[in-house]
Structures are given as structure tokens and as C-alpha cells.
Amino acid sequence: MDFGWHPAAQADFDRVRAETATWPDERPAALTGQQWRRCGDAGLLGYSVPADLGGTGHGFLDTARAMEAFGLGCADMGLVFASLAHLFACAMPIVEHGDERVRKRMVPLLASGEWVGANAITEQDAGSDVTALRATARADGDHYVLDGVKSFVSNAPEADVFVVYASTDPDFGHLGVTGFVVERDTPGLTVEPFAKAVLATCPVGEVRLAGCRVPAHHVLGVPGQGAAIFQSSMRWERTCLFAAYLGQAGRLLERCVAHARERRQFGRAIGTNQAVSHGIARLRGRLEAARLLLWQACWRLDMGERASLAVAAAKLAVSEVAVDTAAFAMRVLGGTGVRTDTGVSHELLDAMAATTFSGTSEMQLEQMAKELGL
């Protein structure tokens, strides 16, 4: 495989890193119009969306590179996550599986940032197990009627449109799940925001659906295809969103290196102590290995391969090195690391979330074991 980058791709990486590094960290404020406009103006909200729908049409590998630059430049991982959940879990399912009328009307609005998108699949008792969904959708003429409650819906308080997954035939398990595109102003849809400690600047809420009538052409794909469509969106999320965590880990390692060179104890820089220097070196090696795993997964997806094992391995490796790097930074930076105004403690919480969303680490191991025939 050839990972050689053409000049335009490297220039885009440098542009995204430099541009996002100038954005102020506005935590703990929720997502604001100003923040969202920055992401839209930078082209980040439609990076993988086809050009004829308002995006720039990049594939997995090029998108991953740009999103790594996003995480490297922007210290607000809540904003990064909100942007990429919008793109990969809402816009891309509509791009790849939406009715042409829905695609042409909604996707350009999502790609530009005029609209905010959200994905609603998780329920109180249905996280990793999508077959346990209690939200239902029943056909009623040329509409479907949706009822149920969705929890932990990122961007929900600000969202203009939701990709909602509901059961259309509970007897068929995952083959009875269907995806729908539901607009915010649909009667019967309400959002109850709540606060969380991780990714705090990404707004989140509970979405209630009470007799929501959705046109039949708002079905994604065909009825019963929802679980497969959700897994299809996870190809984007588990690779290109997690590329941003490569950026976060790289940014924290750069901070650790600078601190280790400058901080002096007992008459010498702390970086001369092997406990510090070897720790940084080990994490840098793990970061490089995780990056190569992720690039390989993206390359195989761009080649049209299913790449399930590669995607799971990349997601697992990236999320774990992100957590370990942030925890190491807390220790190396000492008193600076535990001060809330330095942002390091927020980085650790934001990294810890990566081992849970988009499929827990345990689910990635299960997927890898399944692909190995175990």
C-alpha cells in the first residue's frame, strides 16, 4: 500500500492544523453559532460529502488526515467531536443511503454548517446492543409513526435534523431496525438537554418521540436495513473521527516534550530522567503504530474492502493510546496538569470517552475475535 501524500493533501493538513489552532477554547460553554461557523468555513463539516452536495468529496484516508490535523490544532475536543459526529453519523448516512429528494435538500445545509445534524440510536437499555431498541416505527399510509426515547444524543439541543433508528419489526432483531431522517420541527419530537463531564462543549440531550409522523421517503435505504446502515456510518466514525484523537495525543506529547525540556528539578531538566523520557518515547511509538493501523483501515475502505478487523483494531489502538497519553501528561505536568485552567484534566476526560462511544473497547475486541473465527 502506498501512503504517499500528494502536495494538496499535505497542504490541507497544514492549513487545518494552523487554522484550528487559532480558535479560542470556550469551554465550558455549549456549542455556539460562532464555533459552528468556524468549522463550516474551514470545510470540516462537509469534508467527506460529495462535491455535488456541497462538500469536498474526500475519501477515508484523506479525511482521516484532515481530522487528525483538526485534533492536533484545536484543543476543544468537544467541538471536534460535535463536528465529526454531525458529519459521519448524520450527514454521511444521508449521503450514502438517503432518498434523492432528502439528499439534495438537506445535505448541502449540513455540509455548509447552516444546519446541525445528530444521530439518535442509543437508548437507556440499548447501547452496544442495537437489537434491544424499544423505539418503534409503524407504517401509516405514506408515513411512518415513531415513538420512543433516545438518550445521549450528541448535538441534540442544537440539531436541525436527526438520523433516528427504530424497530419496524421487533420479531426480526437487527433485521427489523430501520433508519429515518427526522427534522427538528416534526410534531411530537422534543429534546431535554443534560450536562456531562466529558466532551463538555458538545451539547447532548434526550430525544423523545411521541407519535412523530415521518414521510416514507425519509427512510434510509429500505425498511429493515437500519442496523447495516448504522454499521456503515461506523466505518467513518471509527476511523476518521478517531483520527482526531491521534491529533489530540500528538498535541499532548508535544506539550510533554516542551515541559520536559524546560522544567528543572534538582538542577537539571526533568526530561533527562529516564522515567520521563522513556515514557514519552514509548507513547510516541504507540502513537505511530496506532496511526499506521488507522491509515491501513482507511486505505482498505477506500479500496472498497469491508476491513472490519482493521477498523476495529485501529479504533481500539487509537482510543487506548489517547487515554494513556492524556494520563501521562497529567503526571508529567504535575501541578500544571491538575489545574482546570490548563485544560489537561479536560483532555483526560475527553480521551476516556473514546473507549466507550462508537463501540466500547470490549466490542472492538469481540469484532476482532469474530473476524478471526473465534
Side-chain angles (χ1 to χ4, degrees), residues 152-180:
F152 286 96
V153 181
S154 297
N155 294 342
E158 307 291 338
D160 299 283
V161 63
F162 300 82
V163 167
V164 177
Y165 296 90
S167 177
T168 45
D169 195 335
D171 293 335
F172 283 87
H174 72 279
L175 295 177
V177 174
T178 301
F180 299 86

PDB file of all heavy atoms in Angstrom, residues 152-180:
ATOM      1  N   PHE A 152     -28.415  10.192  25.251  1.00  0.00           N
ATOM      2  CA  PHE A 152     -27.041  10.522  24.849  1.00  0.00           C
ATOM      3  C   PHE A 152     -26.957  10.865  23.358  1.00  0.00           C
ATOM      4  O   PHE A 152     -26.107  10.354  22.637  1.00  0.00           O
ATOM      5  CB  PHE A 152     -26.082   9.373  25.196  1.00  0.00           C
ATOM      6  CG  PHE A 152     -25.797   9.274  26.670  1.00  0.00           C
ATOM      7  CD1 PHE A 152     -26.516   8.393  27.459  1.00  0.00           C
ATOM      8  CD2 PHE A 152     -24.844  10.078  27.254  1.00  0.00           C
ATOM      9  CE1 PHE A 152     -26.284   8.310  28.822  1.00  0.00           C
ATOM     10  CE2 PHE A 152     -24.607  10.012  28.622  1.00  0.00           C
ATOM     11  CZ  PHE A 152     -25.311   9.129  29.417  1.00  0.00           C
ATOM     12  N   VAL A 153     -27.837  11.752  22.926  1.00  0.00           N
ATOM     13  CA  VAL A 153     -27.838  12.181  21.529  1.00  0.00           C
ATOM     14  C   VAL A 153     -26.969  13.428  21.418  1.00  0.00           C
ATOM     15  O   VAL A 153     -27.377  14.528  21.820  1.00  0.00           O
ATOM     16  CB  VAL A 153     -29.260  12.458  21.023  1.00  0.00           C
ATOM     17  CG1 VAL A 153     -29.223  12.870  19.558  1.00  0.00           C
ATOM     18  CG2 VAL A 153     -30.137  11.218  21.209  1.00  0.00           C
ATOM     19  N   SER A 154     -25.761  13.256  20.899  1.00  0.00           N
ATOM     20  CA  SER A 154     -24.841  14.384  20.740  1.00  0.00           C
ATOM     21  C   SER A 154     -25.420  15.392  19.761  1.00  0.00           C
ATOM     22  O   SER A 154     -26.003  15.022  18.734  1.00  0.00           O
ATOM     23  CB  SER A 154     -23.486  13.890  20.242  1.00  0.00           C
ATOM     24  OG  SER A 154     -22.890  13.022  21.180  1.00  0.00           O
ATOM     25  N   ASN A 155     -25.280  16.672  20.096  1.00  0.00           N
ATOM     26  CA  ASN A 155     -25.761  17.809  19.299  1.00  0.00           C
ATOM     27  C   ASN A 155     -27.271  18.008  19.389  1.00  0.00           C
ATOM     28  O   ASN A 155     -27.804  18.957  18.803  1.00  0.00           O
ATOM     29  CB  ASN A 155     -25.378  17.687  17.818  1.00  0.00           C
ATOM     30  CG  ASN A 155     -23.886  17.763  17.586  1.00  0.00           C
ATOM     31  OD1 ASN A 155     -23.138  18.227  18.442  1.00  0.00           O
ATOM     32  ND2 ASN A 155     -23.437  17.315  16.425  1.00  0.00           N
ATOM     33  N   ALA A 156     -27.968  17.140  20.112  1.00  0.00           N
ATOM     34  CA  ALA A 156     -29.438  17.192  20.113  1.00  0.00           C
ATOM     35  C   ALA A 156     -30.013  18.567  20.436  1.00  0.00           C
ATOM     36  O   ALA A 156     -30.951  19.017  19.768  1.00  0.00           O
ATOM     37  CB  ALA A 156     -30.003  16.142  21.066  1.00  0.00           C
ATOM     38  N   PRO A 157     -29.497  19.278  21.465  1.00  0.00           N
ATOM     39  CA  PRO A 157     -30.119  20.570  21.785  1.00  0.00           C
ATOM     40  C   PRO A 157     -30.029  21.600  20.663  1.00  0.00           C
ATOM     41  O   PRO A 157     -30.832  22.538  20.628  1.00  0.00           O
ATOM     42  CB  PRO A 157     -29.310  21.032  23.018  1.00  0.00           C
ATOM     43  CG  PRO A 157     -28.821  19.762  23.642  1.00  0.00           C
ATOM     44  CD  PRO A 157     -28.495  18.887  22.474  1.00  0.00           C
ATOM     45  N   GLU A 158     -29.056  21.430  19.761  1.00  0.00           N
ATOM     46  CA  GLU A 158     -28.866  22.390  18.677  1.00  0.00           C
ATOM     47  C   GLU A 158     -29.261  21.830  17.308  1.00  0.00           C
ATOM     48  O   GLU A 158     -29.238  22.549  16.308  1.00  0.00           O
ATOM     49  CB  GLU A 158     -27.390  22.821  18.611  1.00  0.00           C
ATOM     50  CG  GLU A 158     -26.808  23.319  19.906  1.00  0.00           C
ATOM     51  CD  GLU A 158     -27.388  24.653  20.332  1.00  0.00           C
ATOM     52  OE1 GLU A 158     -27.907  25.368  19.447  1.00  0.00           O
ATOM     53  OE2 GLU A 158     -27.338  24.975  21.529  1.00  0.00           O
ATOM     54  N   ALA A 159     -29.608  20.559  17.243  1.00  0.00           N
ATOM     55  CA  ALA A 159     -29.758  19.886  15.949  1.00  0.00           C
ATOM     56  C   ALA A 159     -30.990  20.347  15.183  1.00  0.00           C
ATOM     57  O   ALA A 159     -32.053  20.614  15.752  1.00  0.00           O
ATOM     58  CB  ALA A 159     -29.828  18.375  16.146  1.00  0.00           C
ATOM     59  N   ASP A 160     -30.824  20.428  13.866  1.00  0.00           N
ATOM     60  CA  ASP A 160     -31.923  20.725  12.949  1.00  0.00           C
ATOM     61  C   ASP A 160     -32.504  19.456  12.337  1.00  0.00           C
ATOM     62  O   ASP A 160     -33.642  19.453  11.853  1.00  0.00           O
ATOM     63  CB  ASP A 160     -31.428  21.632  11.814  1.00  0.00           C
ATOM     64  CG  ASP A 160     -30.919  22.963  12.334  1.00  0.00           C
ATOM     65  OD1 ASP A 160     -31.750  23.821  12.663  1.00  0.00           O
ATOM     66  OD2 ASP A 160     -29.680  23.128  12.424  1.00  0.00           O
ATOM     67  N   VAL A 161     -31.714  18.381  12.332  1.00  0.00           N
ATOM     68  CA  VAL A 161     -32.171  17.119  11.757  1.00  0.00           C
ATOM     69  C   VAL A 161     -31.495  15.973  12.495  1.00  0.00           C
ATOM     70  O   VAL A 161     -30.350  16.086  12.959  1.00  0.00           O
ATOM     71  CB  VAL A 161     -31.854  17.052  10.240  1.00  0.00           C
ATOM     72  CG1 VAL A 161     -30.363  17.085   9.974  1.00  0.00           C
ATOM     73  CG2 VAL A 161     -32.498  15.834   9.594  1.00  0.00           C
ATOM     74  N   PHE A 162     -32.234  14.869  12.626  1.00  0.00           N
ATOM     75  CA  PHE A 162     -31.758  13.694  13.340  1.00  0.00           C
ATOM     76  C   PHE A 162     -31.825  12.476  12.422  1.00  0.00           C
ATOM     77  O   PHE A 162     -32.803  12.308  11.681  1.00  0.00           O
ATOM     78  CB  PHE A 162     -32.630  13.401  14.560  1.00  0.00           C
ATOM     79  CG  PHE A 162     -32.689  14.506  15.573  1.00  0.00           C
ATOM     80  CD1 PHE A 162     -33.550  15.584  15.400  1.00  0.00           C
ATOM     81  CD2 PHE A 162     -31.894  14.468  16.704  1.00  0.00           C
ATOM     82  CE1 PHE A 162     -33.619  16.604  16.329  1.00  0.00           C
ATOM     83  CE2 PHE A 162     -31.954  15.479  17.648  1.00  0.00           C
ATOM     84  CZ  PHE A 162     -32.816  16.553  17.460  1.00  0.00           C
ATOM     85  N   VAL A 163     -30.805  11.623  12.489  1.00  0.00           N
ATOM     86  CA  VAL A 163     -30.904  10.281  11.937  1.00  0.00           C
ATOM     87  C   VAL A 163     -31.315   9.384  13.098  1.00  0.00           C
ATOM     88  O   VAL A 163     -30.574   9.233  14.073  1.00  0.00           O
ATOM     89  CB  VAL A 163     -29.572   9.816  11.317  1.00  0.00           C
ATOM     90  CG1 VAL A 163     -29.609   8.319  11.035  1.00  0.00           C
ATOM     91  CG2 VAL A 163     -29.293  10.585  10.030  1.00  0.00           C
ATOM     92  N   VAL A 164     -32.520   8.846  13.022  1.00  0.00           N
ATOM     93  CA  VAL A 164     -33.111   8.083  14.121  1.00  0.00           C
ATOM     94  C   VAL A 164     -33.273   6.627  13.695  1.00  0.00           C
ATOM     95  O   VAL A 164     -33.750   6.337  12.591  1.00  0.00           O
ATOM     96  CB  VAL A 164     -34.494   8.662  14.504  1.00  0.00           C
ATOM     97  CG1 VAL A 164     -35.139   7.828  15.607  1.00  0.00           C
ATOM     98  CG2 VAL A 164     -34.362  10.120  14.937  1.00  0.00           C
ATOM     99  N   TYR A 165     -32.898   5.722  14.600  1.00  0.00           N
ATOM    100  CA  TYR A 165     -33.056   4.295  14.345  1.00  0.00           C
ATOM    101  C   TYR A 165     -34.151   3.752  15.253  1.00  0.00           C
ATOM    102  O   TYR A 165     -34.160   4.002  16.465  1.00  0.00           O
ATOM    103  CB  TYR A 165     -31.745   3.553  14.595  1.00  0.00           C
ATOM    104  CG  TYR A 165     -30.653   3.972  13.646  1.00  0.00           C
ATOM    105  CD1 TYR A 165     -29.800   5.031  13.960  1.00  0.00           C
ATOM    106  CD2 TYR A 165     -30.489   3.333  12.422  1.00  0.00           C
ATOM    107  CE1 TYR A 165     -28.800   5.426  13.082  1.00  0.00           C
ATOM    108  CE2 TYR A 165     -29.494   3.725  11.530  1.00  0.00           C
ATOM    109  CZ  TYR A 165     -28.660   4.773  11.869  1.00  0.00           C
ATOM    110  OH  TYR A 165     -27.670   5.179  10.996  1.00  0.00           O
ATOM    111  N   ALA A 166     -35.102   3.028  14.662  1.00  0.00           N
ATOM    112  CA  ALA A 166     -36.232   2.481  15.413  1.00  0.00           C
ATOM    113  C   ALA A 166     -36.578   1.099  14.871  1.00  0.00           C
ATOM    114  O   ALA A 166     -36.220   0.741  13.745  1.00  0.00           O
ATOM    115  CB  ALA A 166     -37.437   3.410  15.311  1.00  0.00           C
ATOM    116  N   SER A 167     -37.280   0.339  15.679  1.00  0.00           N
ATOM    117  CA  SER A 167     -37.674  -1.008  15.292  1.00  0.00           C
ATOM    118  C   SER A 167     -38.983  -0.975  14.511  1.00  0.00           C
ATOM    119  O   SER A 167     -40.001  -0.477  14.992  1.00  0.00           O
ATOM    120  CB  SER A 167     -37.839  -1.882  16.539  1.00  0.00           C
ATOM    121  OG  SER A 167     -38.295  -3.170  16.184  1.00  0.00           O
ATOM    122  N   THR A 168     -38.931  -1.508  13.290  1.00  0.00           N
ATOM    123  CA  THR A 168     -40.152  -1.630  12.483  1.00  0.00           C
ATOM    124  C   THR A 168     -40.711  -3.039  12.538  1.00  0.00           C
ATOM    125  O   THR A 168     -41.856  -3.273  12.123  1.00  0.00           O
ATOM    126  CB  THR A 168     -39.862  -1.256  11.012  1.00  0.00           C
ATOM    127  OG1 THR A 168     -38.651  -1.879  10.588  1.00  0.00           O
ATOM    128  CG2 THR A 168     -39.713   0.256  10.861  1.00  0.00           C
ATOM    129  N   ASP A 169     -39.913  -3.985  13.041  1.00  0.00           N
ATOM    130  CA  ASP A 169     -40.378  -5.361  13.186  1.00  0.00           C
ATOM    131  C   ASP A 169     -39.560  -6.038  14.285  1.00  0.00           C
ATOM    132  O   ASP A 169     -38.514  -6.642  14.013  1.00  0.00           O
ATOM    133  CB  ASP A 169     -40.235  -6.129  11.872  1.00  0.00           C
ATOM    134  CG  ASP A 169     -41.050  -7.427  11.885  1.00  0.00           C
ATOM    135  OD1 ASP A 169     -41.306  -7.947  12.987  1.00  0.00           O
ATOM    136  OD2 ASP A 169     -41.420  -7.898  10.807  1.00  0.00           O
ATOM    137  N   PRO A 170     -39.982  -5.909  15.552  1.00  0.00           N
ATOM    138  CA  PRO A 170     -39.205  -6.441  16.683  1.00  0.00           C
ATOM    139  C   PRO A 170     -38.907  -7.930  16.581  1.00  0.00           C
ATOM    140  O   PRO A 170     -37.908  -8.402  17.139  1.00  0.00           O
ATOM    141  CB  PRO A 170     -40.105  -6.146  17.892  1.00  0.00           C
ATOM    142  CG  PRO A 170     -40.985  -5.019  17.447  1.00  0.00           C
ATOM    143  CD  PRO A 170     -41.214  -5.253  15.979  1.00  0.00           C
ATOM    144  N   ASP A 171     -39.713  -8.703  15.868  1.00  0.00           N
ATOM    145  CA  ASP A 171     -39.501 -10.142  15.780  1.00  0.00           C
ATOM    146  C   ASP A 171     -38.257 -10.509  14.972  1.00  0.00           C
ATOM    147  O   ASP A 171     -37.784 -11.641  15.045  1.00  0.00           O
ATOM    148  CB  ASP A 171     -40.718 -10.820  15.143  1.00  0.00           C
ATOM    149  CG  ASP A 171     -41.949 -10.728  16.027  1.00  0.00           C
ATOM    150  OD1 ASP A 171     -41.782 -10.586  17.256  1.00  0.00           O
ATOM    151  OD2 ASP A 171     -43.072 -10.791  15.491  1.00  0.00           O
ATOM    152  N   PHE A 172     -37.726  -9.555  14.204  1.00  0.00           N
ATOM    153  CA  PHE A 172     -36.586  -9.853  13.336  1.00  0.00           C
ATOM    154  C   PHE A 172     -35.267  -9.300  13.869  1.00  0.00           C
ATOM    155  O   PHE A 172     -34.273  -9.271  13.145  1.00  0.00           O
ATOM    156  CB  PHE A 172     -36.845  -9.307  11.927  1.00  0.00           C
ATOM    157  CG  PHE A 172     -37.786 -10.165  11.133  1.00  0.00           C
ATOM    158  CD1 PHE A 172     -39.163  -9.969  11.216  1.00  0.00           C
ATOM    159  CD2 PHE A 172     -37.309 -11.171  10.318  1.00  0.00           C
ATOM    160  CE1 PHE A 172     -40.037 -10.767  10.493  1.00  0.00           C
ATOM    161  CE2 PHE A 172     -38.179 -11.980   9.591  1.00  0.00           C
ATOM    162  CZ  PHE A 172     -39.547 -11.778   9.675  1.00  0.00           C
ATOM    163  N   GLY A 173     -35.234  -8.855  15.137  1.00  0.00           N
ATOM    164  CA  GLY A 173     -33.985  -8.392  15.736  1.00  0.00           C
ATOM    165  C   GLY A 173     -33.355  -7.270  14.943  1.00  0.00           C
ATOM    166  O   GLY A 173     -34.016  -6.293  14.575  1.00  0.00           O
ATOM    167  N   HIS A 174     -32.037  -7.410  14.640  1.00  0.00           N
ATOM    168  CA  HIS A 174     -31.351  -6.329  13.928  1.00  0.00           C
ATOM    169  C   HIS A 174     -31.868  -6.169  12.500  1.00  0.00           C
ATOM    170  O   HIS A 174     -31.733  -5.093  11.901  1.00  0.00           O
ATOM    171  CB  HIS A 174     -29.838  -6.570  13.918  1.00  0.00           C
ATOM    172  CG  HIS A 174     -29.389  -7.684  13.022  1.00  0.00           C
ATOM    173  ND1 HIS A 174     -29.445  -9.013  13.399  1.00  0.00           N
ATOM    174  CD2 HIS A 174     -28.881  -7.670  11.757  1.00  0.00           C
ATOM    175  CE1 HIS A 174     -28.983  -9.760  12.416  1.00  0.00           C
ATOM    176  NE2 HIS A 174     -28.639  -8.972  11.414  1.00  0.00           N
ATOM    177  N   LEU A 175     -32.500  -7.210  11.949  1.00  0.00           N
ATOM    178  CA  LEU A 175     -33.087  -7.097  10.610  1.00  0.00           C
ATOM    179  C   LEU A 175     -34.424  -6.365  10.624  1.00  0.00           C
ATOM    180  O   LEU A 175     -34.995  -6.112   9.562  1.00  0.00           O
ATOM    181  CB  LEU A 175     -33.263  -8.487   9.999  1.00  0.00           C
ATOM    182  CG  LEU A 175     -31.967  -9.264   9.724  1.00  0.00           C
ATOM    183  CD1 LEU A 175     -32.290 -10.647   9.186  1.00  0.00           C
ATOM    184  CD2 LEU A 175     -31.082  -8.500   8.743  1.00  0.00           C
ATOM    185  N   GLY A 176     -34.896  -6.017  11.818  1.00  0.00           N
ATOM    186  CA  GLY A 176     -36.129  -5.264  11.930  1.00  0.00           C
ATOM    187  C   GLY A 176     -35.913  -3.815  12.316  1.00  0.00           C
ATOM    188  O   GLY A 176     -36.859  -3.112  12.662  1.00  0.00           O
ATOM    189  N   VAL A 177     -34.645  -3.347  12.243  1.00  0.00           N
ATOM    190  CA  VAL A 177     -34.325  -1.960  12.584  1.00  0.00           C
ATOM    191  C   VAL A 177     -34.285  -1.121  11.306  1.00  0.00           C
ATOM    192  O   VAL A 177     -33.728  -1.545  10.292  1.00  0.00           O
ATOM    193  CB  VAL A 177     -32.968  -1.877  13.315  1.00  0.00           C
ATOM    194  CG1 VAL A 177     -32.566  -0.423  13.549  1.00  0.00           C
ATOM    195  CG2 VAL A 177     -33.038  -2.631  14.644  1.00  0.00           C
ATOM    196  N   THR A 178     -34.853   0.066  11.370  1.00  0.00           N
ATOM    197  CA  THR A 178     -34.906   0.959  10.206  1.00  0.00           C
ATOM    198  C   THR A 178     -34.400   2.339  10.596  1.00  0.00           C
ATOM    199  O   THR A 178     -34.646   2.809  11.713  1.00  0.00           O
ATOM    200  CB  THR A 178     -36.343   1.062   9.665  1.00  0.00           C
ATOM    201  OG1 THR A 178     -36.807  -0.256   9.302  1.00  0.00           O
ATOM    202  CG2 THR A 178     -36.425   1.978   8.452  1.00  0.00           C
ATOM    203  N   GLY A 179     -33.697   2.981   9.677  1.00  0.00           N
ATOM    204  CA  GLY A 179     -33.205   4.332   9.903  1.00  0.00           C
ATOM    205  C   GLY A 179     -34.119   5.360   9.258  1.00  0.00           C
ATOM    206  O   GLY A 179     -34.656   5.138   8.166  1.00  0.00           O
ATOM    207  N   PHE A 180     -34.302   6.496   9.939  1.00  0.00           N
ATOM    208  CA  PHE A 180     -35.180   7.566   9.458  1.00  0.00           C
ATOM    209  C   PHE A 180     -34.466   8.910   9.566  1.00  0.00           C
ATOM    210  O   PHE A 180     -33.648   9.123  10.467  1.00  0.00           O
ATOM    211  CB  PHE A 180     -36.466   7.637  10.295  1.00  0.00           C
ATOM    212  CG  PHE A 180     -37.305   6.393  10.251  1.00  0.00           C
ATOM    213  CD1 PHE A 180     -37.068   5.341  11.123  1.00  0.00           C
ATOM    214  CD2 PHE A 180     -38.333   6.273   9.324  1.00  0.00           C
ATOM    215  CE1 PHE A 180     -37.845   4.189  11.090  1.00  0.00           C
ATOM    216  CE2 PHE A 180     -39.118   5.123   9.282  1.00  0.00           C
ATOM    217  CZ  PHE A 180     -38.867   4.082  10.159  1.00  0.00           C
TER     218      PHE A 180
END
